[in-house]
């Protein structure tokens, strides 16, 4: 497995010119992908939405996003290009998203994850997300239930320490 120097990976706000590359990752990753129009809508929608891309040179290798609702942030998506999975890109993206969310006044995060997706659940648990509930038959493609995972306060010192620890792991 080839390792990448994470210093080669830069995080940027999603721009219109990134949509085709983001959409290609979306189709590669999800059984029911968002449309290109959905990404454009999220990008051009409310100014409080936060969408980020990870790039190596000019290649988009991952993306993530939040829709802000008052002081809560709904993490709507996170994905990494197949060739770059398991190389800490997702961790880098989520740390960047959380830092940006805090700057925008978000204090609480939530997301939905497939009940069967144990890898994603373990990933979010590293960021102190916990399962707060279930939405029955949430996923239209399979009828699978979604778990609702939450972090109640991303602004306290305890959470800051969790993020600093995860950042430290990026350097190893």
């Amino acid at each position: 497995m080839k390792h990448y120097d994470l210093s080669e990976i830069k995080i940027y706000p999603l721009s219109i010119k990134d949509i085709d590359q983001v959409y290609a990752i979306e189709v590669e990753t999800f059984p029911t992908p968002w449309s290109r129009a959905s990404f454009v809508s999220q990008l051009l929608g409310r100014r409080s939405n936060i969408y980020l891309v990870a790039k190596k040179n000019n290649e988009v290798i991952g993306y993530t996003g939040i829709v802000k609702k008052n002081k809560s942030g709904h993490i709507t998506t996170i994905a990494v290009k197949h060739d770059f999975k398991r190389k800490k890109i997702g961790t880098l993206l989520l740390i960047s998203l959380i830092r940006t969310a805090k700057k925008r006044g978000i204090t609480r995060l939530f997301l939905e994850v497939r009940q069967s997706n144990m890898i994603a659940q373990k990933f979010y648990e590293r960021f102190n997300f916990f399962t707060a509930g279930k939405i029955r038959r949430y996923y239209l493609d399979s009828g699978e239930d979604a778990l609702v995972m939450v972090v109640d306060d991303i602004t306290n010192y305890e959470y800051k320490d969790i993020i600093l620890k995860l950042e430290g792991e990026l350097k190893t």
Side-chain angles (χ1 to χ4, degrees), residues 48-97:
S48 57
N49 291 353
I50 305 164
Y51 281 83
L52 304 175
V53 292
K55 290 185 175 182
K56 183 176 189 291
N57 304 318
N58 274 336
E59 179 187 7
V60 174
I61 60 171
Y63 59 92
T64 188
I66 281 181
V67 172
K68 183 179 178 188
K69 297 176 181 178
N70 301 315
K71 292 196 170 281
S72 287
H74 179 195
I75 299 176
T76 56
T77 190
I78 185 167
V80 174
K81 194 171 188 173
H82 183 73
D83 293 347
F84 292 86
K85 288 186 185 298
R86 316 292 279 162
K87 295 176 181 16
K88 304 181 182 180
I89 309 300
T91 300
L92 181 63
L93 275 164
L94 193 51
I95 288 170
S96 300
L97 188 66

Side-chain angles (χ1 to χ4, degrees), residues 28-148:
E28 167 186 283
T29 304
F30 298 108
T32 310
W34 284 12
S35 66
R36 278 186 178 84
S38 295
F39 283 104
V40 171
S41 172
Q42 289 297 315
L43 181 60
L44 302 178
R46 294 191 318 211
R47 297 184 73 201
S48 57
N49 291 353
I50 305 164
Y51 281 83
L52 304 175
V53 292
K55 290 185 175 182
K56 183 176 189 291
N57 304 318
N58 274 336
E59 179 187 7
V60 174
I61 60 171
Y63 59 92
T64 188
I66 281 181
V67 172
K68 183 179 178 188
K69 297 176 181 178
N70 301 315
K71 292 196 170 281
S72 287
H74 179 195
I75 299 176
T76 56
T77 190
I78 185 167
V80 174
K81 194 171 188 173
H82 183 73
D83 293 347
F84 292 86
K85 288 186 185 298
R86 316 292 279 162
K87 295 176 181 16
K88 304 181 182 180
I89 309 300
T91 300
L92 181 63
L93 275 164
L94 193 51
I95 288 170
S96 300
L97 188 66
I98 290 166
R99 291 198 177 285
T100 305
K102 280 175 58 175
K103 288 178 190 164
R104 300 265 187 96
I106 293 172
T107 59
R108 180 177 184 269
L109 299 173
F110 67 98
L111 56 85
E112 299 85 21
V113 63
R114 287 180 188 267
Q115 188 168 359
S116 65
N117 192 342
M118 299 307 296
I119 292 171
Q121 291 170 47
K122 296 285 183 224
F123 173 73
Y124 296 127
E125 286 169 2
R126 293 180 58 230
F127 285 84
N128 221 33
F129 280 82
F130 64 91
T131 301
K134 183 188 293 191
I135 303 172
R136 295 224 171 269
R137 301 190 57 77
Y138 180 79
Y139 293 98
L140 299 176
D141 62 323
S142 64
E144 186 174 354
D145 296 345
L147 299 180
V148 178

Side-chain angles (χ1 to χ4, degrees), residues 150-168:
V150 176
V151 174
D152 278 328
D153 186 358
I154 62 170
T155 64
N156 65 33
Y157 286 109
E158 194 177 298
Y159 199 73
K160 183 179 178 182
D161 288 345
I162 289 166
I163 296 301
L164 288 172
K165 178 179 180 271
L166 289 166
E167 280 181 325

